[in-house]
Amino acid sequence: MGGGAVVSMVVLCLLAMVLHSEVAQAATYVVGDKNGWGYGTAGWEKGKSFKADDILVFNYPKGVHNVVAVNKTGYDECNTIPSDAKVYTSGNDQIKLVKGLNNFICGIASHCDFDMKIQILAS
Ligand SMILES: *[C@@H]1O[C@H](CO)[C@@H](O)[C@H](O)[C@H]1NC(C)=O
Ligand SMILES: [Cu+2]
């Protein structure tokens, strides 16, 4: 086998590794894109396909909003259910999706009623 063939094989192997790792790598999504996490964010998640371990980034003015990881009842009723739901308050929260249904609402005042909620089914 000539040197050129060996080099091509090495290149192909490296290429395969790079492609493979890209497929395996979790994606990162900025919730609401440039608008961030705010009133009317609901619906941003529609038409996207999320996977377990993908990261959601919630950007908002710290103290004005928060992010509460609620269950489906909490999402439907705009309540922070269950009572031990995890609450994020940094203004730049990075949350990893779990397989199945992931529900997030803003737990401050009645912001959730103004569509500050998202529901994602991660595969
Ligand atoms: C959500 O949590 C509450 C309180 O723990 C529970 O009663 C309710 O059944 C849960 N809803 C779902 C859909 O899991
Ligand atoms: Cu809010």
Side-chain angles (χ1 to χ4, degrees):
M1 183 167 15
V6 172
V7 169
S8 321
M9 273 179 61
V10 169
V11 168
L12 278 177
C13 276
L14 287 175
L15 198 62
M17 282 164 67
V18 167
L19 288 177
H20 184 77
S21 71
E22 264 171 21
V23 167
Q25 201 157 42
T28 298
Y29 296 89
V30 176
V31 175
D33 300 313
K34 63 178 183 316
N35 296 325
W37 176 231
Y39 305 126
T41 297
W44 163 86
E45 72 274 30
K46 297 271 184 298
K48 299 180 174 67
S49 64
F50 297 91
K51 295 199 163 51
D53 294 339
D54 283 352
I55 308 277
L56 295 187
V57 181
F58 291 82
N59 292 319
Y60 56 92
K62 186 177 160 71
V64 173
H65 302 296
N66 67 11
V67 183
V68 188
V70 296
N71 72 9
K72 186 178 180 301
T73 308
Y75 176 87
D76 291 341
E77 298 179 359
C78 270
N79 265 309
T80 51
I81 303 172
S83 52
D84 65 350
K86 196 148 176 28
V87 182
Y88 302 84
T89 58
S90 77
N92 175 242
D93 306 318
Q94 319 232 334
I95 306 178
K96 192 181 269 195
L97 294 176
V98 295
K99 195 178 167 70
L101 208 53
N102 294 254
N103 307 279
F104 303 101
I105 68 170
C106 178
I108 296 191
S110 56
H111 296 184
C112 175
D113 294 322
F114 294 96
D115 277 348
M116 200 164 175
K117 60 194 312 201
I118 55 172
Q119 183 172 62
I120 288 172
L121 185 61
S123 57

